[in-house]
Amino acid sequence: MTRVAVGPVELPVTIGAAVSDEAAAPMSDAELRMVRHTLGLTGGDLAALLGVTDRTVRRWEVGTVPIPEGVRRDVEHLEGVASGHVTAVIDALTTVGTSAGEVSLGIPRDGVHGGLPASWWRAVAGRVAAEVPGLVVRYPEHTAPDQR
């Protein structure tokens, strides 16, 4: 086993024990939590999107209940949706260019928009901001949430 430093912490890493078909590998509790955080979702948000209870998501994340095989596919789909939005926004901002002055991105302050919580949109904006120098992220004055 090899150890890899991540910040001030050294983590054990197993090299050479990869599963041949990674897509078929069960999702680990750590992977689920990491992706959920990356997507800007609470446990309750993810539960609603997957059609399960937030208690189920908590139990998956602490490892008391195995994560069903289909969850990896569903979570990867959510990540794909997020990545698609990131790419689309970057492309749109690149088309506008910085010569027009300040380039800003409006994101919702709260509520659900396009079927996804405001925290998800903030995570997308964070990924965009990491790729677009000088981007200003703002809350628009009026962003009506979806009706639930």
Side-chain angles (χ1 to χ4, degrees), residues 104-108 136-140:
S104 66
L105 175 62
I107 60 170
V136 176
V137 180
R138 301 184 189 281
Y139 292 127

Side-chain angles (χ1 to χ4, degrees), residues 84-126:
H85 276 81
V86 169
T87 300
V89 171
I90 290 171
D91 289 348
L93 292 172
T94 303
T95 301
V96 170
T98 55
S99 61
E102 177 183 284
V103 177
S104 66
L105 175 62
I107 60 170
R109 184 181 302 269
D110 52 24
V112 175
H113 303 269
L116 296 161
S119 59
W120 186 88
W121 294 104
R122 286 190 295 273
V124 165

